[in-house]
């Protein structure tokens, strides 16, 4: 599993390396020196919005997800960029959009793209937009709930990577974050890997998003503003 940042998979003189620089035989050499890999990409979740002393706020959307196989060209590379989760909104402020995750070829063309979830919004100004995807087989994130509403879940998708045994696996089928209702923030949207963060407090929600899910919005007590919570960082997984 690859975390937030930029990663390269290089084919150098018949060897395959996971590295921090392009076309370099440094870092970690992959067992069996694969010439073909499968890549999963998850975008970052949107951050939940902060509340004011008189209203609560909405949750961020879950990041998009996509999956595909790709051949590794000899003496060349592919680049994987993993987006971070959106930062929380401070008092009376919207959250921040989640970062987008990408797979590029050596020429800089985008092969796969998993967009980050949209920021949670203050008051009832709209849902946190779900992250979408392009390229490969994927699914959209769940929407962030407006104040006092649950976040949206993700559809369940069956994927296959064509190893000799034809392995299948499931992604999605996760639930949006719940809300405690009156004076609680909206729940975060789900990702392919995780449920959304819960709007479980009239103050700051107890837990941020994880694995690309959206952060919940803040609740309020009269006379006190609160921050929301961050969305979960994106991720990438490689198989060979």
């Amino acid at each position: 599993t690859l975390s937030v940042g930029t990663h390269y998979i290089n084919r150098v003189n018949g060897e395959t390396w996971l590295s921090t620089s392009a076309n370099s035989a440094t870092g970690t050499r992959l067992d069996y020196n694969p010439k073909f890999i499968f890549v999963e990409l998850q975008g970052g979740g949107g951050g939940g919005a902060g509340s004011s002393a008189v209203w609560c706020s909405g949750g961020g959307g879950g990041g998009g997800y996509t999956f595909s196989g790709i051949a590794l060209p000899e003496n060349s590379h592919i680049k994987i960029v993993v987006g971070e989760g959106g930062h929380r909104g401070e008092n009376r402020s919207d959250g921040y959009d989640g970062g987008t995750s990408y797979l590029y070829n050596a020429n800089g063309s985008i092969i796969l793209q998993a967009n980050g979830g949209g920021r949670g919004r203050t008051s009832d100004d709209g849902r946190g937009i779900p992250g979408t995807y392009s390229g490969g087989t994927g699914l959209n994130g769940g929407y962030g709930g407006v104040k006092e509403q649950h976040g949206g879940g993700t559809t369940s998708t069956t994927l296959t990577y064509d190893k000799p045994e034809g392995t299948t696996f499931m992604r999605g089928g996760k639930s949006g974050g719940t809300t405690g209702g009156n004076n609680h923030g909206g729940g975060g949207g789900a990702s392919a890997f995780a449920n959304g963060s819960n709007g479980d407090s009239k103050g700051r929600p107890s837990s941020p998003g994880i694995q690309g899910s959206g952060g919940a919005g803040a609740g309020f007590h009269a006379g006190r503003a609160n921050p929301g919570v961050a969305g979960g960082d994106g991720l990438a997984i490689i198989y060979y």
Side-chain angles (χ1 to χ4, degrees), residues 189-200:
S191 73
F193 294 91
N195 298 334
S197 168
N198 296 325
D200 55 7

Side-chain angles (χ1 to χ4, degrees), residues 3 22 37 59 65 88 91 109 126 131 134 147 152 154 160 163 172 181 184 194 208 210-211 214 219 221-223 237:
S3 58
I37 63 170
Y65 164 89
R88 72 187 191 188
N91 303 351
S109 298
S134 60
K147 66 177 186 179
T154 49
T160 301
K163 295 176 68 174
H184 289 69
I210 59 171
Q211 296 180 305
H221 291 289
I237 302 175

Side-chain angles (χ1 to χ4, degrees), residues 155-204:
T155 58
S156 181
T157 301
T158 301
L159 301 165
T160 301
Y161 61 99
D162 300 323
K163 295 176 68 174
E165 63 269 29
T167 302
T168 61
F169 59 99
M170 303 292 295
R171 289 290 182 249
K174 301 300 183 180
S175 300
T178 60
T179 180
N182 187 44
N183 295 341
H184 289 69
S191 73
F193 294 91
N195 298 334
S197 168
N198 296 325
D200 55 7
S201 172
K202 292 183 179 180
R204 177 182 173 183

Side-chain angles (χ1 to χ4, degrees), residues 76-209:
S76 188
H77 69 275
I78 59 172
K79 181 171 78 170
I80 297 171
V81 177
V82 178
E84 69 176 351
H87 295 179
R88 72 187 191 188
E90 300 300 332
N91 303 351
R92 305 177 183 84
S93 298
D94 287 352
Y96 290 81
D97 295 338
T100 296
S101 297
Y102 298 94
L103 172 63
Y104 297 93
N105 66 19
N107 295 324
S109 298
I110 296 172
I111 302 169
L112 301 175
Q113 179 171 333
N115 294 314
R119 65 188 182 276
R121 299 174 184 272
T122 56
S123 189
D124 54 358
D125 294 334
R127 293 173 170 174
I129 297 170
T132 57
Y133 72 95
S134 60
T137 302
L139 55 93
N140 296 334
Y143 60 82
V146 298
K147 66 177 186 179
E148 303 174 348
Q149 298 293 317
H150 303 315
T154 49
T155 58
S156 181
T157 301
T158 301
L159 301 165
T160 301
Y161 61 99
D162 300 323
K163 295 176 68 174
E165 63 269 29
T167 302
T168 61
F169 59 99
M170 303 292 295
R171 289 290 182 249
K174 301 300 183 180
S175 300
T178 60
T179 180
N182 187 44
N183 295 341
H184 289 69
S191 73
F193 294 91
N195 298 334
S197 168
N198 296 325
D200 55 7
S201 172
K202 292 183 179 180
R204 177 182 173 183
S206 61
S207 300

